[in-house]
């Protein structure tokens, strides 16, 4: 009794590569287009068509591999994975089994543990099936068929869900820095399958694993790992045994269901694709690629501290996403003091990302707009309150801050008469607070300032309002 | 008589204004009307469109815009090459109503050169067979003896050229499918080096061996057609760049080309059970080449007993994957069943014929887990050995001479009786496909019954010029 178990996790991470065109034809890879509009005879698997490798795929896949300290294979080739399913127009997927593009890498988590990468292989995505509830029909959209993917396969080196999330966050940042993918879980450009087993603490022998699919958020991954670990533990404690199977996570129900067991495992009849000659990657090509790798997070963070005098904590957060870091740098490059830019991003920016559950990639505010916004604020043409409002409005819409301010008349009011009238009105309507203030309660003044600001829709300088109130209330 | 002209002779007369493009085309269609019921060379005819195209080409020829050696020449195309807007069946029920939205590169190049596409020729289903008897649309008969097979799988193309139902044709050759019917029908057939002609638009049977090749009345026409269709194509990753090759120009040497050529004749070829008349044709060809100044020599090639099993293991393996796309979901035949798997099952059961099913099952088996290493992988290794053996032979010889098929055209129905025997008949032709090397079938005499017999010349990769030169020398009296 009282055995303690340890969770052992390995990941298969599918990442859609951000190429302009598909992996084996010239069709665009855009997301969200009308069904079957981004297709051609090749990605529809029409008779007589042939795949031709998009060179950019090899470039991006190898770049990701180099960033993860992988060995890039000098000779890599594609294999066919055969299975009948209508999402795949040819009924085989072109993937890599025997000679994947990268092998044997690692990613070190910020808390220090190292996760080994088994391999990275390139492959084509399948189309999307859509089940029509009303008619009972199933329709296929082949827009996604042939979109390039890499599959990053880790060794079973994780011991907790937290480690998995830390790994995925770092991986996402790395891939975003390389601009190799959008890494959006919701849109499916980042897909994570979790292989999980449990074993007795200290035991060398791995248990029977299950593979978990349909994990659409980091939150779902974390929860699924916890629930699956507990499920396996319960089975073992009840004297049962785990069956090797693929399970589908249902996030609404908070539990998983078996999809297919490995006993009915498909025989994919892999063999080298005769339509695609082996790709020879020269030492020189790999070295050129390595030398062109962009500045990664760690280096960028250090540079932010040195070059812009950004505190370490801020630099850490600002470089957490290439898109945030880029907005910072490009705005600063327009002559705005780094401190001002960083204050906005660290305060308002991070708050908005959190509250709107936004990805930093989707920030629409341009460096130019941001710079003008800060300038308006600096020149006291808009108040701090208005600046925050404009920042929020422009953040995910990209609206021009100057146009926004002008369109809504948000410029700070300098009209003494209007201000005086407003203050008089506030005094008249808040007799009790006025009495309190006159009676010595300083706090009451703040309330009156607030009421005036509210009546002015934030477009007055608080200092001016305070002075005016004091003047009118001084006996 | 227009129909007796070669393609090159015809195009010259068209250029000179002695024969009109429509006139030539009408002559061909008259011949088709006379013989097609008996021979069945075509699956689909392109009558209306061809006439319209002929008028357009005539204008371009008359105005000097089109001057090439194929301008205005009526040409037939095997029905596994995609033709935009024209049904392409691959000889199968599965694609009975399939109309491709694009032209195969070889077809597009012919059109650009001003050739008139007159129809799609009959073939073994998905090019699997060597008698054109596995076609879902009936067999093609040999123009020299209608009780006999035209050979296959490009039987329709070879018979059409022999019967003057076209001036030249395209076939495809995966294991001898251009050369063997050419031999049986008494015409010239060439399988170019793998990669010479783009496979874009060629409906795949075995991707690593399929090649498009000309079927023609003589060697010069063969060179002209090859010059037109060869070349790098960015839509086929296995196609190869060879700058400025003009195979026709390479023929200017004439008969002298054979002078000093070293010709090897594999001794094993005489032990494979070929008919004496076939072997006599090979010996006669050797003597003729010697007279022309070539050095001929028998030698032991080796591995010949492995070529047929290696070929079928690899070809069926690839085919089982290539033909997975025919599932009734996107194009072609669909036999609705209850649910997805049942629809797959019914569609493929009714859509494919016996020979195709035989090869798909064998192919799925050799690729399956637990058997891959023992069959498919081993076959790939033997294939490499065979390539080494032939490469070694080409260190000593410029060309290899041998038979094309063990017999002249067999009686109809023979191929279906004993499938294994039919497969073994590919022993002389499949080596060129396994190794990617170019090979040509050349008519060389007749049997006592009056049936044509061909001989085969094989060369090292990209030595088509030498092959054509020797072929020309050999075919000149």
């Amino acid at each position: 009794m009282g055995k303690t178990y340890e969770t052992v996790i390995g990941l298969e991470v599918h990442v859609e590569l951000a190429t302009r065109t598909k992996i084996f034809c010239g069709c665009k890879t855009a997301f969200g287009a009308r069904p079957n509009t981004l297709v051609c005879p090749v990605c529809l698997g029409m008779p007589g068509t042939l795949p031709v490798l998009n060179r950019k795929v090899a470039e991006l896949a190898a770049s990701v591999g180099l960033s993860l300290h992988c060995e890039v294979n000098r000779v890599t080739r594609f294999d066919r994975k055969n299975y009948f399913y209508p999402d795949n127009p040819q009924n085989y997927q072109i993937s890599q089994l025997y000679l994947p593009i990268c092998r044997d890498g690692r990613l070190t988590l910020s808390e220090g543990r190292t996760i080994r990468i088994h391999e990275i292989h390139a492959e084509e995505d399948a189309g999307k099936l859509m089940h029509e509830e009303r008619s009972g029909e199933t329709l296929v959209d082949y827009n996604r068929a042939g979109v390039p993917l890499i599959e990053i396969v880790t060794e079973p080196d994780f011991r907790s869900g937290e480690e998995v999330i830390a790994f995925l966050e770092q991986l996402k940042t790395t891939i975003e820095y390389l601009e190799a993918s959008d890494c959006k879980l919701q849109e499916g450009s980042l897909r994570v399958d979790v292989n999980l087993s449990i074993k007795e603490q200290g035991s060398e022998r791995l248990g029977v694993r299950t593979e978990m699919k349909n994990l659409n958020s980091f939150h779902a991954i974390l929860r699924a790992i916890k629930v699956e670990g507990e499920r396996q533990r319960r089975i073992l404690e009840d004297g049962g045994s785990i069956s090797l199977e693929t399970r589908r996570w249902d996030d609404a129900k908070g539990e998983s269901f078996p999809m297919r067991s490995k006993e009915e495992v498909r025989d994919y009849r892999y063999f080298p694709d005769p339509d695609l000659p082996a790709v020879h990657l020269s030492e020189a090509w790999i070295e050129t690629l390595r030398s062109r790798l962009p500045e990664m997070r760690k280096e960028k963070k250090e540079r932010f501290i040195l070059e812009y005098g950004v505190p370490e904590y801020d630099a850490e957060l600002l470089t957490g996403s290439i898109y945030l870091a880029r907005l910072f740098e490009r705005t600063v490059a327009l002559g705005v003091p780094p401190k001002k830019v960083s204050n906005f991003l660290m305060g308002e920016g991070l708050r908005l990302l959190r509250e709107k559950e936004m990805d930093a990639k989707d920030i629409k505010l341009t460096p130019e707009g941001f710079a003008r916004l800060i300038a308006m604020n600096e020149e006291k043409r808009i108040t701090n309150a208005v600046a925050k409002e404009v920042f929020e409005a422009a953040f995910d819409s990209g609206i021009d801050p100057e146009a926004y301010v002008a369109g809504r008349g948000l410029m700070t009011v300098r009209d003494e008469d209007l201000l005086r009238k407003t203050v008089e009105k506030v005094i008249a309507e808040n007799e009790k607070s006025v009495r309190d203030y006159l009676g010595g309660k300083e706090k009451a003044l703040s309330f009156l300032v607030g009421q005036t600001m509210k009546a002015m829709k934030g477009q007055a300088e608080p200092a001016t309002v305070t002075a005016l109130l004091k003047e009118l209330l001084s006996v | 008589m227009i129909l007796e002209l070669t393609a090159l002779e015809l195009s010259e007369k068209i250029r000179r204004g002695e024969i009109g493009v429509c006139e030539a085309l009408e002559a061909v269609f008259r011949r088709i009307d006379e013989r097609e019921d008996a021979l069945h060379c075509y699956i689909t005819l392109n009558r209306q469109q061809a006439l319209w195209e002929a008028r357009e080409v005539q204008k371009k020829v008359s105005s000097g815009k089109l001057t090439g050696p194929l301008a205005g020449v009526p040409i037939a195309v095997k029905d596994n090459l995609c033709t935009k807007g024209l049904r392409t069946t691959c000889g199968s029920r599965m694609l009975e109503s399939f109309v491709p939205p694009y032209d195969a590169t070889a077809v597009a190049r012919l059109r650009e050169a001003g050739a008139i596409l007159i129809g799609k020729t009959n073939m073994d289903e998905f090019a699997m067979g060597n008698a054109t008897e596995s076609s879902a649309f009936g067999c093609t008969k040999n123009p020299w003896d209608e009780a006999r097979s035209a050979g296959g799988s490009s039987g329709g193309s070879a018979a059409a050229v022999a019967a003057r139902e076209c001036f030249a044709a395209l076939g495809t050759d995966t294991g001898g499918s251009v050369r063997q019917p050419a031999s049986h029908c008494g015409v010239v057939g060439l399988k170019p080096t793998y990669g010479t002609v783009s496979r874009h638009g060629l409906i795949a049977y075995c991707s690593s061996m399929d090649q498009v090749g000309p079927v023609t009345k003589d060697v010069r026409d063969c060179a002209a057609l090859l010059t037109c269709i060869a070349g790098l194509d960015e839509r086929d990753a296995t196609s190869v760049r060879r700058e400025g090759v003009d195979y026709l120009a390479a023929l200017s040497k004439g008969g002298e080309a054979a002078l000093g050529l070293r010709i090897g004749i594999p001794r094993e070829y005489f032990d494979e059970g070929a008919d004496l008349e076939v072997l006599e044709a090979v010996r006669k060809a050797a003597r003729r080449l010697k007279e022309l100044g070539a050095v001929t020599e028998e030698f032991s090639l080796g591995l010949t007993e492995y070529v047929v099993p290696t070929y079928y293991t690899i070809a069926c393996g690839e085919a089982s994957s290539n033909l997975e796309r025919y599932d009734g979901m996107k194009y072609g035949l669909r036999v609705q069943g209850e649910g997805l798997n049942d629809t797959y099952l019914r569609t493929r059961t009714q859509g494919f014929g016996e020979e195709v099913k035989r090869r798909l099952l064998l192919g799925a088996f050799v690729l399956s887990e637990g058997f891959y290493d023992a069959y498919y992988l081993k076959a790939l290794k033997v294939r490499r050995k065979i390539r080494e053996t032939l490469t070694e032979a080409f260190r000593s010889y410029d060309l290899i001479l041998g038979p094309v098929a063990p017999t002249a055209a067999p009686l109809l129905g023979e191929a279906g009786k004993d499938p294994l025997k039919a497969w073994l008949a590919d022993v002389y032709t499949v080596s060129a496909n396994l190794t990617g090397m170019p090979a040509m079938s050349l008519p060389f005499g007749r049997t006592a019954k009056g049936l044509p017999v061909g001989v085969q010349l094989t060369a090292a990769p990209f030595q088509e010029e030498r092959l054509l030169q020797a072929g020309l020398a050999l075919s000149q009296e």
Side-chain angles (χ1 to χ4, degrees):
Chain A
M1 286 295 99
K3 279 182 193 165
T4 47
Y5 291 97
E6 191 176 26
T7 310
V8 178
I9 304 163
L11 301 180
E12 290 168 24
V13 184
H14 284 89
V15 181
E16 244 176 34
L17 294 180
T19 52
R20 209 173 50 81
T21 55
K22 293 184 179 180
I23 182 167
F24 297 124
C25 65
C27 290
K28 291 211 166 63
T29 53
F31 179 82
R34 282 185 49 231
N36 297 312
T37 53
L38 306 177
V39 292
C40 72
V42 176
C43 59
L44 287 176
M46 298 286 278
T49 57
L50 299 169
V52 177
L53 179 64
N54 178 347
R55 298 172 63 91
K56 190 80 186 159
V57 170
E59 222 175 281
L60 291 180
S63 297
V64 172
L66 289 172
S67 307
L68 296 175
H69 310 283
C70 288
E71 186 79 25
V72 176
N73 274 324
R74 298 292 178 274
V75 180
T76 179
R77 65 175 305 162
F78 290 88
D79 303 294
R80 291 190 189 171
K81 178 181 183 180
N82 299 282
Y83 65 93
F84 276 80
Y85 204 60
D87 65 355
N88 198 324
Q90 306 151 121
N91 285 319
Y92 59 78
Q93 179 195 28
I94 304 177
S95 180
Q96 298 193 297
L97 177 71
Y98 298 109
L99 290 170
I101 187 158
C102 302
R103 273 201 175 117
D104 298 331
R106 62 179 191 281
L107 191 153
T108 304
L109 303 179
S110 40
E111 44 86 354
R113 258 171 56 74
T114 292
I115 305 300
R116 292 168 299 158
I117 310 288
H118 176 71
E119 68 170 50
I120 300 177
H121 61 255
E123 61 188 23
E124 57 178 346
D125 208 345
K128 225 180 237 172
L129 293 187
M130 287 171 292
H131 305 280
E132 295 272 298
E133 291 293 339
R134 251 177 299 165
S135 65
E137 284 177 319
T138 300
L139 304 173
V140 200
D141 175 9
Y142 286 122
N143 282 352
R144 204 180 64 183
V147 167
L149 295 176
I150 49 172
E151 182 174 338
I152 302 168
V153 183
T154 77
E155 299 291 349
D157 287 349
F158 300 94
R159 294 294 174 271
S160 72
E162 287 69 24
E163 281 181 1
V164 167
I165 300 303
F167 172 87
L168 289 172
E169 275 171 352
Q170 276 180 242
L171 181 69
K172 186 169 180 279
T173 304
T174 301
I175 292 171
E176 281 178 353
Y177 266 73
L178 292 168
E179 294 185 79
S181 173
D182 308 349
C183 288
K184 289 185 179 170
L185 271 132
Q186 312 88 306
E187 288 182 10
S189 59
L190 178 71
R191 276 168 260 164
V192 182
D193 297 340
V194 171
N195 286 300
L196 186 149
S197 65
I198 60 173
K199 65 178 177 79
E200 273 180 52
Q201 192 88 48
S203 163
E204 289 294 308
R205 265 194 37 220
L206 292 178
V208 177
R209 68 172 197 281
T210 59
E211 182 180 351
M212 191 69 66
K213 287 184 179 288
N214 196 40
L215 300 163
N216 296 322
S217 66
F218 282 179
H219 181 72
I221 293 169
L222 202 56
R223 197 147 75 115
I225 288 173
K226 190 160 169 280
V227 172
E228 178 60 12
E230 280 162 8
R231 190 187 70 88
Q232 293 191 10
R233 204 156 300 158
R234 250 191 333 273
I235 292 175
L236 290 188
E237 278 168 1
D238 292 350
S241 60
I242 312 296
S243 49
L244 190 66
E245 62 187 4
T246 303
R247 300 179 68 84
R248 184 187 159 83
W249 177 252
D250 185 328
D251 205 42
K253 293 202 174 83
E255 56 184 321
S256 65
F257 301 93
M259 277 171 76
R260 55 170 185 264
S261 79
K262 295 270 168 166
E263 278 90 79
E264 47 187 298
V265 69
R266 292 168 177 166
D267 179 353
Y268 291 118
R269 290 178 285 119
Y270 276 102
F271 75 107
D273 191 325
D275 288 329
L276 291 159
V279 182
H280 294 264
L281 302 175
S282 70
E283 194 81 44
W285 184 86
I286 295 168
E287 283 320 306
T288 307
L289 210 58
R290 199 194 300 275
S291 69
R292 287 192 191 147
L293 287 181
E295 181 186 46
M296 300 304 279
R297 184 181 184 183
K298 204 167 146 246
E299 292 85 56
K300 200 181 274 294
K301 180 184 153 188
E302 282 161 12
R303 194 166 56 77
F304 275 17
I305 297 169
L306 281 172
E307 201 174 319
Y308 303 122
V310 176
E312 180 170 357
Y313 176 77
D314 294 15
E316 172 79 17
L317 290 179
L318 286 176
T319 56
S321 156
I322 181 69
Y323 304 103
L324 207 58
R326 198 174 280 162
L327 180 57
F328 170 80
E329 257 191 300
R330 289 186 181 167
T331 310
V332 169
L334 296 170
V336 187
K339 185 91 184 96
K340 301 276 173 208
V341 182
S342 130
N343 280 350
F344 255 106
L345 290 177
M346 291 296 296
E348 290 305 292
L350 294 179
R351 178 182 67 83
L352 288 172
L353 285 177
R354 205 169 44 243
E355 283 174 8
K356 297 184 180 222
E357 291 183 359
M358 258 173 80
D359 201 298
K361 186 184 169 45
D362 298 324
I363 299 175
K364 294 282 182 349
L365 177 64
T366 62
E368 293 74 21
F370 195 8
R372 279 198 295 276
L373 170 66
I374 293 174
M376 282 189 285
N377 190 210
E378 286 300 293
E379 292 157 10
K380 305 252 186 240
R381 283 152 63 205
I382 54 173
T383 63
N384 289 343
V386 170
K388 282 182 186 173
E389 181 196 333
V390 178
F391 182 85
E392 178 161 355
F395 196 65
D396 59 353
S397 73
I399 192 167
D400 173 44
E402 269 177 350
Y404 185 87
V405 167
R408 295 177 186 234
L410 297 177
M411 299 296 249
T412 304
V413 173
R414 308 231 177 259
D415 183 339
E416 281 279 333
D417 281 351
L418 175 63
L419 211 54
R420 189 172 290 267
K421 271 181 200 147
T422 311
V423 171
E424 281 167 353
K425 197 165 166 247
V426 168
I427 290 172
E429 284 170 0
N430 294 281
E431 282 178 35
K432 187 179 175 300
S433 299
V434 171
R435 269 201 308 279
D436 287 351
Y437 172 67
L438 294 176
K441 285 188 182 165
E442 280 292 322
K443 261 193 179 170
L445 184 67
S446 308
F447 175 76
L448 292 170
V449 171
Q451 289 302 303
T452 312
M453 290 298 289
K454 200 171 157 190
M456 293 295 297
K457 296 189 180 105
Q459 286 167 257
E461 281 297 331
T464 317
V465 172
T466 311
L468 206 54
L469 269 166
K470 280 185 175 165
E471 182 198 319
L472 291 175
L473 292 174
S474 62
V475 197
Chain B
M1 178 71 189
I2 293 178
L3 294 177
E4 292 309 313
L5 299 172
T6 66
L8 288 176
E9 288 164 350
L10 174 67
S11 72
E12 197 182 340
K13 285 187 187 295
I14 289 173
R15 269 197 307 281
R16 287 210 219 115
E18 292 166 25
I19 296 176
V21 179
C22 293
E23 189 187 348
L25 186 65
E26 278 156 14
V28 165
F29 276 120
R30 265 198 308 281
R31 172 59 61 95
I32 289 173
D33 290 338
E34 288 160 22
R35 307 253 7 228
E36 189 54 9
D37 280 353
L39 298 179
H40 190 38
C41 302
Y42 290 92
I43 293 176
T44 308
L45 284 168
N46 192 30
R47 250 177 233 268
Q48 293 308 316
Q49 183 70 17
L51 271 169
W52 186 84
E53 278 169 23
R55 277 184 222 114
E56 294 298 304
V57 167
Q58 180 67 66
K59 278 185 218 156
K60 287 184 189 161
V61 172
S62 302
S63 63
K65 277 186 201 141
L66 263 177
T67 56
L70 297 177
V73 178
I75 284 180
V77 169
K78 189 177 178 181
D79 211 20
N80 58 351
L81 288 162
C82 287
T83 43
K84 188 174 179 178
L86 183 63
R87 166 174 100 125
T88 300
T89 69
C90 238
S92 181
R93 288 271 166 247
M94 191 60 96
L95 292 177
E96 192 169 2
S97 57
F98 175 63
V99 179
Y102 67 97
D103 271 333
T105 299
V107 171
R109 291 192 177 182
L110 280 181
R111 284 198 211 263
E112 278 161 34
I116 311 296
L117 172 58
I118 52 174
K120 306 298 293 290
T121 57
N122 198 12
M123 56 182 284
D124 282 296
E125 186 178 11
F126 283 98
M128 298 180 189
N130 51 20
T132 314
E133 290 183 65
S134 73
S135 167
F137 307 104
C139 66
T140 295
K141 290 170 187 147
N142 194 306
W144 302 101
D145 178 351
E146 289 168 21
R148 291 178 185 272
S149 161
S153 64
S154 310
S157 288
V161 173
R164 311 304 187 227
E165 288 190 34
C166 64
F167 282 85
L170 290 187
T172 65
D173 191 317
T174 307
S177 282
V178 158
R179 290 162 285 156
Q180 185 257 27
S183 174
H184 287 351
C185 293
V187 294
V188 174
L190 173 75
K191 185 208 76 87
T193 308
Y194 185 77
T196 300
V197 183
S198 167
R199 293 184 296 114
H200 171 73
L202 159 58
I203 299 180
Y205 153 31
C206 170
S207 312
S208 72
M209 296 193 237
D210 294 339
Q211 262 296 287
V212 182
V215 180
T216 57
K217 292 179 181 176
D218 73 358
V219 174
R220 285 183 196 281
D221 280 3
C222 181
L225 234 68
L226 184 62
T227 305
C228 175
I229 62 177
L232 181 77
D233 179 6
E234 60 180 23
R235 283 168 298 188
D236 175 3
T238 62
S239 82
V240 174
R241 181 190 295 278
R242 277 192 83 202
E243 295 294 348
V245 182
D246 187 335
Y247 301 97
L248 195 52
L251 290 182
S252 56
K253 264 183 159 181
E256 291 158 38
L259 203 66
L261 277 184
R262 299 164 301 166
I263 314 271
I265 305 160
R267 203 166 284 132
E268 292 89 340
Y269 285 179
F270 294 92
D271 311 326
E272 299 286 343
D275 280 1
L276 290 177
E277 285 178 300
V278 167
L279 297 178
E280 186 46 37
V282 174
R283 289 204 178 88
K284 236 174 74 188
R287 281 201 296 277
R288 178 80 188 116
L289 283 165
K290 219 169 168 178
E291 284 164 25
L292 290 166
V295 182
T296 60
E297 188 176 86
E298 282 193 18
F299 75 106
S300 178
L301 178 61
L303 295 180
T304 47
E305 68 266 47
Y306 296 110
V307 297
V308 169
T310 304
Y311 167 78
Y312 276 96
T313 305
I314 294 170
C316 294
E318 288 187 28
S320 74
S321 173
N322 281 331
L323 272 64
E324 280 165 353
R325 67 190 65 200
Y326 309 110
D327 59 2
M329 296 295 138
K330 304 162 294 274
Y331 41 72
L333 181 75
R334 176 192 182 105
V335 184
Q336 186 66 47
E338 298 190 8
L340 183 63
N341 279 323
D342 193 41
T343 303
Y344 283 154
L345 200 67
R346 284 173 198 241
T347 301
R348 290 171 66 85
T349 300
Q350 293 181 35
F352 291 137
E354 284 308 302
E355 182 63 21
V356 170
K357 282 177 197 160
R358 181 168 17 252
R359 297 196 193 190
L360 296 188
L361 286 173
L362 180 73
F365 173 74
V366 299
L367 289 179
S368 57
E369 219 176 308
F371 298 98
Y372 179 84
D373 289 0
Y375 294 99
Y376 194 77
L377 192 61
K378 186 177 276 179
L380 291 183
K381 288 176 184 164
V382 179
R383 180 182 194 172
R384 202 158 53 229
K385 281 275 169 214
I386 293 168
R387 191 180 291 132
E388 284 166 13
T389 306
L390 264 174
T391 304
E392 185 57 37
F394 282 118
R395 275 192 243 285
S396 311
Y397 306 105
D398 297 311
L399 296 170
I400 291 175
L401 174 68
V404 181
T407 64
L411 288 167
L412 286 168
E414 285 293 317
K417 280 187 198 153
D418 186 348
L420 186 62
K421 197 176 158 202
W423 286 13
L424 288 169
D426 294 338
V427 60
Y428 304 113
T429 44
V430 293
S431 296
N433 303 90
L434 285 166
T435 59
M437 295 178 185
M440 181 166 65
S441 166
L442 204 70
F444 207 80
R446 286 178 187 267
T447 65
K449 286 183 183 138
L451 298 172
V453 179
V455 294
Q456 177 173 236
L457 288 168
T458 308
F462 304 110
Q463 298 293 316
E464 277 83 354
E465 290 96 324
R466 188 171 275 167
L467 211 53
L468 290 161
Q469 284 164 354
L472 184 65
L474 203 51
S475 59
Q476 280 167 348
E477 287 306 314

